[in-house]
Amino acid sequence: MQIQGKLIEKFDIKQVSDTFKVREFVVEYADNPLYPQFISFQLTQDRCGLIEPMSQGAMIQVEFNLRGRKWTSPQGDVKYFNTLEAWRISPVSEQVASPGQMPPPPVPPEAMDVTNMPDSDDLPF
C-alpha cells in the first residue's frame, strides 16, 4: 500500500529491547481537504533512519504494510491492534500535478466522431 501526504512530525527512536528498536512519524493525508487525517506510521530496526532526511512539512510518499495482531490480557480480555509499518519513504516530486490540475482524461472510443474518417477497407483480417 502507499499514500502521499505532508510529514507532520517525526519522533525519536525508541529502543524497546536489546534487539528491537522502533520509530514513529505522522503524515497528514488530505484526500478531502476539509477533513484531513493524521496517520501514524512505524519504522522498525534498520529502517528507523528512513525518515531522517525528510523535513517536517515536506510532501512524502510512504509505502507500507498493514499489520494486525491479537493480544489477550492476564485478565482474559482480548484486544486487537493495527500497525502501519513503513518500508519505503520518498519525497514527492514538485512536478506531480495536484487533483485540481490533472490533465483531462482521454476521449473514450465510443465518443470519437467517426463521420469524417476516410472510408478505407484496410482491415488486417
Side-chain angles (χ1 to χ4, degrees):
M1 299 177 157
Q2 68 182 13
I3 192 171
Q4 289 185 4
K6 181 171 38 170
L7 178 60
I8 298 299
E9 193 163 357
K10 53 185 177 179
F11 299 98
D12 293 332
I13 297 172
K14 293 179 186 173
Q15 192 73 41
V16 178
S17 70
D18 290 337
T19 60
F20 185 72
K21 60 184 176 180
V22 65
R23 185 174 192 179
E24 295 180 342
F25 64 97
V26 178
V27 171
E28 179 182 350
Y29 175 65
D31 61 337
N32 180 346
L34 296 176
Y35 305 102
Q37 303 296 310
F38 295 90
I39 302 172
S40 176
F41 290 92
Q42 174 179 288
L43 295 160
T44 57
Q45 299 300 79
D46 59 338
R47 292 190 177 121
C48 288
L50 291 177
I51 196 71
E52 199 58 40
M54 307 300 162
S55 59
Q56 198 167 345
M59 290 298 293
I60 60 173
Q61 177 170 308
V62 182
E63 296 183 50
F64 63 97
N65 294 327
L66 177 61
R67 301 281 186 226
R69 60 192 171 280
K70 178 181 173 180
W71 177 74
T72 305
S73 73
Q75 295 78 26
D77 297 327
V78 176
K79 298 203 183 250
Y80 296 93
F81 296 93
N82 296 319
T83 304
L84 303 177
E85 190 173 310
W87 51 273
R88 180 180 296 156
I89 303 169
S90 54
V92 174
S93 159
E94 297 299 325
Q95 301 293 330
V96 175
S98 68
Q101 300 172 337
M102 297 296 278
V107 178
E110 61 270 7
M112 296 176 78
D113 183 16
V114 294
T115 57
N116 294 334
M117 294 183 78
D119 187 25
S120 81
D121 199 16
D122 292 347
L123 298 175
F125 48 90

